[in-house]
């Protein structure tokens, strides 16, 4: 037999395409005219037991013959090929049940399957699954279920497949292992090494791994639907996939069955056309020994339904049964989140008020006990958003669990769309979880936190965003005369803000001036005022006081895509961060610009000083330094040449991470109003160390430039230079918009 080699990729050709595939076991029609396309990446197929999912996998692999139809891999027909040839072409198969060799060790499994000069080697497997490296000398029968699944996946990967077919990969696994397997598969697909067809019953895993998701009912692909639509529609899940319910409740799945001899029913009518008849052609799951079901019995068992057959909101179709449907539209909604195990009554009270105001709501559970409390989004579903958090949730330690759920909920909320607002109520733990997620939402999206902590220092909860903190007065523990009033006020406030947010017109780039953020400190005020005046005709300047939170606030707007430009004159917060001052930046300073690739214009404003409070608060080891009393509550310390070298290197390394255009301007005449001839912080040697550190660190390219100018930072010529470079980076953006009007 001629040796087959992996099929090369062809541009635009789907990795896998099934058309009209039929499979019979005797007279039982297991797979009925399946059409399915996997272009690339990950595609999940969900369905109850007995729906034909495993048979479809076996048909692809050549383990069962198809009676008709086409199966193409990378554009090449593979139907009818022996299983070994299918595997050689580049399709790996991880069957349900793993099927490992009990007597072989982990390493022996990997050595047996590894190929010389393949992309996948045992060493790479150990990097992806470190747990297998620890268990390399254990036999297949000595591994846990999760370890066995990792080994089964690894065995398939060592065949260097272009397509990996996985049948129930998370069956019987603990949530922590489920999350690890899910994360690993998604990462492999994202790296482009392999595309993955996942057969799943776990809707949470399926919708997290792929978008859209295919639903299989009675041997057919009933629909391919947007993951967000499936995850949000509990009724659709019950009708198609729920325990004790039949897939015949939906669409055409139960209206005809060739092997049973039933008369096909009419195509389902739209909801507006009244009730329809639904015929259940398979009273029991068919086997190869099944006999025909008499048509009279099918007719007698038929039911009448009046629901529309697609996922709907208020009777309006939101699903799409077309192949590989685009993400379905979602409805704007308010999220009510909290720990339902202890605050369920209060949160539902808030939800009911917001719903009564005419807004759609989603109740999200962020409790850490692992039980289901009837939320629209369970705590388990939230936890799956951040696999790194799952070990903490499973640790049994409350502090670790709260920290883990905080990370998971922030990750989950960042992936949601059409959020009109987020409201929560709780104590210290619930406040920490909810406000961390609120900080990820864009500025302007309403955020209300009813908290027992709101009467104290809330800086850590509010951060740099627009969170409204409301003191709960009494503990958030049961409904009473006081708590009803406070929670009711919060709910009504959220409803009003959400409606106003929904009604607010979106910015019009043809009419509105784009927003530009400027950072200012007292000692760089003249520069920033001149810059703002020079750009005001075409840009709307937003000035941020560089006091630590000011820089974070500006970058929050950058992350929220609300700023179209940045002139970062005053980067002084870096001094306080590195030297222990009162107004520090965080390690994420410049991070928003790096993430968004926004054109960046910056400078070294006020990098000559560190801020402390009153003179007696200056740390002992700084007492002999050049100190300047800015006012009775603020003491400034002049930075030294060594400190400026450190500052310059730190900023330079961050500039190197920016992939958008960068212009960083250096005023060689001084960096603040105190750094000028005759002023207390004038120190050319210290400034020179800063400038040299920047020059030594920044990698100069056509897109990233340092510009040294012989001006003081507050000279009009320097402000003009900042504006000139800024406008050059944004050349044509505003002018083009005006021409279109």
């Amino acid at each position: 037999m001629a040796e087959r080699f992996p099929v090369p990729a062809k541009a635009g050709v789907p990795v896998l395409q099934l058309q009209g595939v039929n499979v019979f076991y005797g007279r039982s029609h297991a797979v009925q005219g399946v059409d399915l396309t996997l272009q690339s990446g990950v595609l999940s197929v969900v369905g109850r037991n007995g729906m034909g999912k495993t048979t479809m996998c076996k048909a692809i692999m050549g383990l069962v013959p198809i009676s008709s139809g086409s199966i193409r891999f990378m554009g090449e027909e593979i139907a009818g090929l022996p299983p070994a040839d299918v595997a050689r072409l580049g399709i790996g198969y991880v069957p349900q049940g793993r099927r490992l060799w009990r007597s072989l060790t982990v390493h022996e499994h990997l050595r047996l399957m590894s190929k010389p000069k393949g992309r996948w080697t045992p060493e790479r497997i150990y990097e992806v699954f470190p747990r297998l490296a620890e268990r390399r000398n254990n036999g297949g029968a000595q591994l846990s279920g999760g370890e066995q699944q990792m080994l089964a996946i690894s065995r398939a990967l060592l065949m260097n497949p272009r397509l990996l077919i996985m049948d129930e990969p998370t069956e019987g696994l603990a949530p922590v292992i489920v999350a690890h397997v899910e994360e690993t598969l998604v990462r492999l697909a994202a790296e482009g090494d392999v595309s993955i067809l996942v057969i799943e019953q776990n809707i949470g895993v399926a919708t997290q791994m792929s978008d859209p998701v295919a639903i299989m009912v009675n041997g057919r692909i009933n629909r391919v639907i947007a993951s967000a639509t499936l995850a949000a529609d509990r009724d659709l899940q019950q009708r198609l996939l729920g325990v004790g319910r039949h897939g015949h409740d939906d669409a055409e799945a139960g209206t005809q069955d060739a092997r049973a001899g039933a008369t096909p029913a009419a195509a389902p009518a739209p909801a507006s056309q009244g009730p329809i008849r639904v015929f259940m052609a398979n009273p029991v799951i068919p086997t190869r020994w099944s006999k025909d079901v008499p048509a009279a019995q099918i007719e007698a068992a038929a039911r009448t339904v009046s629901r529309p057959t697609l996922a709907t909101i208020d009777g309006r179709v939101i699903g799409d049964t077309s192949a590989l449907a685009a993400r379905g539209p979602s409805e704007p909604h308010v999220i009510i989140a909290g720990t339902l195990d202890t605050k369920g009554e209060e949160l539902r009270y808030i939800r009911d008020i917001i719903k009564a105001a005419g807004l759609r709501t989603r109740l999200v559970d962020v409790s850490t006990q692992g039980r289901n409390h009837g939320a629209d989004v369970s705590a388990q579903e939230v936890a799956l958003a951040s696999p790194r958090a799952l070990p903490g949730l499973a640790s049994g330690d409350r502090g670790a669990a709260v920290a883990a759920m905080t990370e998971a909920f922030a990750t989950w909320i960042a992936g949601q769309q059409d959020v009109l607002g987020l409201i929560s109520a709780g104590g210290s733990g619930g406040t920490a979880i909810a406000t961390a997620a609120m900080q990820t939402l864009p500025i302007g999206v309403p955020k209300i936190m009813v908290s027992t902590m709101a009467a104290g220092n809330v800086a850590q909860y509010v951060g740099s965003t627009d969170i409204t903190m409301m003191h709960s007065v009494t503990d958030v523990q049961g409904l009473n005369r006081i708590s009803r009033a406070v929670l009711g006020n919060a709910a009504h406030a959220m409803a009003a803000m959400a409606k106003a947010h929904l009604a607010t017109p979106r910015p019009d780039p043809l009419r509105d001036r784009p927003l530009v953020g400027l950072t200012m400190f007292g000692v760089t005020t003249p520069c920033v005022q001149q810059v703002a005046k020079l750009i005001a005709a075409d840009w709307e300047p937003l000035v941020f006081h560089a006091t630590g939170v000011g820089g974070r606030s500006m970058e929050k707007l950058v992350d929220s895509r609300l700023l179209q430009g940045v002139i970062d004159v005053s980067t002084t917060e870096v001094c306080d961060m590195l030297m222990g001052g009162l107004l520090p930046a965080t390690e994420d300073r410049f991070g928003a610009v790096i993430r968004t690739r926004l054109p960046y214009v910056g400078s070294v404003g006020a990098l000559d000083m560190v801020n402390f409070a009153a003179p007696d608060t200056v740390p002992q080891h700084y007492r002999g330094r050049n100190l300047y009393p800015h006012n009775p509550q603020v003491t400034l310390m002049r930075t030294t040449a060594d400190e400026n070298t450190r500052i310059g290197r730190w900023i330079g390394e961050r500039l190197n991470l920016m992939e958008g255009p960068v212009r960083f301007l250096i005023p060689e005449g001084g960096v603040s109003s105190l750094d000028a001839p005759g002023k207390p912080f004038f120190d050319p040697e210290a400034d020179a160390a800063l400038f040299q550190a920047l020059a030594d660190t920044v990698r100069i390219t056509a897109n990233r430039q340092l510009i040294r100018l012989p001006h003081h930072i507050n000279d009009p010529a320097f402000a003009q230079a900042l504006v000139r470079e800024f406008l050059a980076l944004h050349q044509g953006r505003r002018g083009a918009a005006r021409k279109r009007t």
Side-chain angles (χ1 to χ4, degrees):
M1 180 186 299
E3 180 70 13
R4 288 182 173 267
F5 296 95
V7 177
K10 301 175 184 177
V13 175
V15 173
L16 179 68
Q17 188 170 35
L18 280 66
Q19 293 181 318
V21 173
N22 289 277
V23 178
F24 285 83
Y25 291 120
R27 295 185 61 187
S28 294
H29 198 174
V31 174
Q32 305 178 22
V34 164
D35 292 317
L36 189 67
T37 300
L38 170 56
Q39 198 71 34
S40 63
V42 184
L43 177 63
S44 300
V45 179
V46 297
R48 294 185 295 113
N49 284 333
M51 294 296 104
K53 306 185 304 296
T54 296
T55 299
M56 180 181 69
C57 294
K58 291 180 177 179
I60 296 170
M61 295 303 302
L63 295 169
V64 297
I66 68 173
S67 62
S68 62
S70 169
I71 304 175
R72 291 183 175 274
F73 171 59
M74 306 302 295
E76 180 175 323
E77 182 64 52
I78 62 172
L81 290 179
D85 285 357
V86 174
R88 290 190 187 101
L89 285 172
I91 302 181
Y93 183 39
V94 181
Q96 187 176 14
R98 294 128 198 177
R99 301 184 186 178
L100 302 175
W101 293 289
R102 297 172 59 86
S103 60
L104 296 184
T105 67
V106 168
H107 195 63
E108 287 169 342
H109 272 87
L110 301 184
R111 286 180 56 198
L112 183 65
M113 301 303 297
S114 63
K115 293 184 176 182
K117 300 181 180 180
R119 299 190 314 275
W120 287 92
T121 63
E123 290 71 26
R124 185 179 177 188
I125 292 294
Y126 290 143
E127 291 177 3
V128 174
F129 296 111
R131 183 60 176 162
L132 292 184
E134 300 172 9
R135 307 278 281 171
R136 60 187 298 156
N137 294 321
N138 290 81
Q142 298 174 311
L143 304 179
S144 68
E147 292 163 348
Q148 290 180 12
Q149 187 63 67
M150 295 176 194
L151 184 55
I153 296 171
S154 301
R155 182 176 60 183
L157 289 174
L158 285 169
M159 298 294 291
N160 299 297
R162 291 298 310 277
L163 170 64
L164 188 61
I165 299 175
M166 304 198 64
D167 194 358
E168 303 286 1
T170 66
E171 181 183 30
L173 303 186
V176 173
I177 303 301
V178 168
H180 179 63
V181 170
E182 173 191 329
E183 179 187 27
T184 301
L185 294 177
V186 172
R187 186 175 68 250
L188 291 175
E191 291 172 353
D193 274 0
V194 61
S195 294
I196 304 174
L197 179 67
V198 179
I199 308 302
E200 259 298 345
Q201 289 194 65
N202 187 323
I203 295 176
V205 172
T207 55
Q208 287 288 334
M209 287 189 66
S210 81
D211 184 25
V213 172
I215 301 177
M216 199 163 189
V217 178
N218 275 4
R220 303 173 185 171
I221 298 299
N222 177 274
R223 67 187 63 192
V224 181
I225 190 170
S227 296
T229 300
L230 178 60
D233 195 325
R234 301 299 192 214
D235 182 71
L236 180 64
Q237 294 175 21
Q238 284 296 318
R239 283 189 287 130
L240 293 175
L241 308 166
V243 176
R245 303 288 296 272
H246 295 283
H248 305 81
D249 293 358
D250 188 78
E252 71 266 16
T255 62
Q256 51 186 327
D257 194 308
R259 70 182 182 282
T263 302
S272 60
Q273 296 183 13
I276 58 173
R277 295 277 283 171
V278 176
F279 298 85
M280 187 168 71
N282 292 320
V284 296
I285 298 174
T287 68
R288 68 181 67 189
W289 301 282
S290 295
K291 296 181 179 180
D292 291 347
V293 180
Q297 181 179 336
I298 296 173
E299 178 69 27
R303 297 184 301 108
T304 301
V305 296
S306 57
R307 300 185 60 90
T309 59
L310 297 181
T312 66
I313 291 178
D314 300 330
R316 178 168 54 79
V317 173
I318 61 171
D320 188 345
T321 58
S322 62
L324 294 181
R327 178 179 292 276
S330 59
E331 289 286 311
H333 59 279
V334 175
I335 292 177
I336 301 94
T339 53
L340 264 66
D341 55 345
T342 58
K343 307 292 187 286
E345 184 180 16
E346 298 89 332
L347 293 166
R348 289 184 173 89
Y349 178 72
I350 293 173
R351 177 201 60 188
D352 292 345
I353 291 175
I354 295 173
K355 288 181 69 174
L359 293 165
R360 291 187 61 82
T361 62
R362 290 176 78 191
L363 184 62
V364 179
D365 187 11
V366 294
S367 58
T368 58
Q369 298 301 312
R371 293 188 293 272
N372 194 325
H373 299 94
D376 297 320
V377 180
S378 68
Q380 295 90 333
E381 185 175 338
V382 173
L384 284 172
S386 179
R388 291 195 306 270
L390 286 167
L393 287 168
S395 67
D397 179 84
R398 184 179 184 278
V402 169
M405 182 55 80
T406 300
E407 176 186 353
F409 186 40
T411 303
W412 182 87
I413 202 74
Q416 303 307 299
Q417 297 180 353
D418 292 312
V419 177
L420 280 180
L422 172 56
I423 184 170
S424 183
S428 59
T431 302
I433 294 170
T435 54
M438 291 177 183
Q439 291 182 29
T440 69
L441 289 172
I443 299 292
V445 175
K447 314 165 187 71
I448 297 180
M449 183 71 230
V450 183
S451 172
T452 59
M453 309 299 291
N457 183 355
V458 298
Q460 61 179 323
Y461 302 123
V462 175
S464 60
T465 193
D466 56 339
I467 297 173
T468 300
M469 298 288 292
M470 181 178 290
H471 187 217
S472 62
V473 184
T474 63
D475 199 353
V476 185
Q477 189 61 52
L479 293 176
N480 52 59
R481 190 180 308 169
I482 301 300
S483 64
R484 281 192 178 92
V486 175
L487 296 175
N489 285 341
H492 285 296
M494 172 55 70
M497 287 193 289
K499 288 181 178 179
H501 182 66
L502 184 61
T504 300
R506 295 186 177 183
D508 184 354
L510 304 181
R511 183 191 66 231
D512 301 330
R513 288 179 298 165
L515 299 176
V516 55
L518 290 79
T519 50
M520 185 178 78
F521 214 43
V523 292
T524 61
T525 298
C527 176
V528 176
Q529 288 178 334
Q530 294 173 76
V531 169
K533 183 177 180 180
L534 290 169
I535 63 174
D538 290 322
W539 292 77
E540 183 175 352
L542 305 181
V543 178
F544 298 86
H545 196 189
T547 56
V549 70
R552 293 197 295 275
S553 296
M554 183 185 74
E555 296 211 41
K556 174 66 176 178
L557 291 177
V558 173
D559 268 330
S560 299
R561 304 301 200 277
L562 293 177
L563 288 183
Q564 288 76 50
V566 166
I567 304 179
D568 197 2
V569 176
S570 309
T571 48
T572 182
E573 296 158 323
V574 175
C575 296
D576 285 37
M577 179 188 69
L578 296 179
M579 309 309 159
L582 187 66
L583 309 174
T586 68
E587 291 286 339
D588 194 45
R589 185 66 166 94
F590 311 106
V593 177
I594 294 169
R595 287 186 289 274
T596 61
R597 298 179 175 86
L598 189 72
Y600 177 80
V601 175
S603 189
V604 291
L607 287 181
D608 58 334
M609 59 187 63
V610 180
N611 295 266
F612 297 104
D616 59 356
T617 67
V618 176
Q620 186 64 40
H621 60 282
Y622 287 145
R623 292 290 175 87
R625 296 281 295 276
N626 181 3
L627 302 176
Y628 178 79
H630 184 66
N631 61 48
Q633 285 75 42
V634 176
T635 303
L636 307 178
M637 180 183 75
R638 199 355 168 151
T639 52
T640 65
D642 288 343
E643 290 168 344
N644 278 357
T645 297
R646 182 182 171 193
I647 293 166
R649 287 173 179 167
W650 194 92
I651 293 176
E653 289 169 355
R654 300 297 282 173
L655 296 178
N656 287 337
L657 295 176
M658 295 180 184
E659 296 181 6
V662 175
R663 301 294 183 267
F664 200 77
L665 279 64
I666 295 176
E668 294 180 332
V671 301
S672 80
S673 60
L674 295 180
D675 180 26
K679 299 296 183 179
F681 283 179
F682 184 61
D683 189 343
E685 181 181 346
D687 288 348
L690 171 66
F691 305 155
Q692 189 60 46
L694 284 164
D696 291 342
T697 306
V698 175
R699 294 192 296 272
I700 304 299
T701 67
N703 218 30
R704 184 187 304 113
Q705 297 180 19
L706 284 180
I707 301 172
R708 301 180 70 150
L709 298 168
H711 309 304
H712 187 273
I713 195 167
N714 289 328
D715 287 346
F718 190 74
Q720 292 168 5
L722 286 168
V723 172
R724 183 170 58 250
E725 296 299 329
F726 175 80
L727 295 178
L729 294 186
H730 293 270
Q731 185 176 12
R733 294 178 64 184
R734 186 61 183 168
R738 284 185 165 177
K739 288 178 182 178
R740 287 194 296 270
T741 61

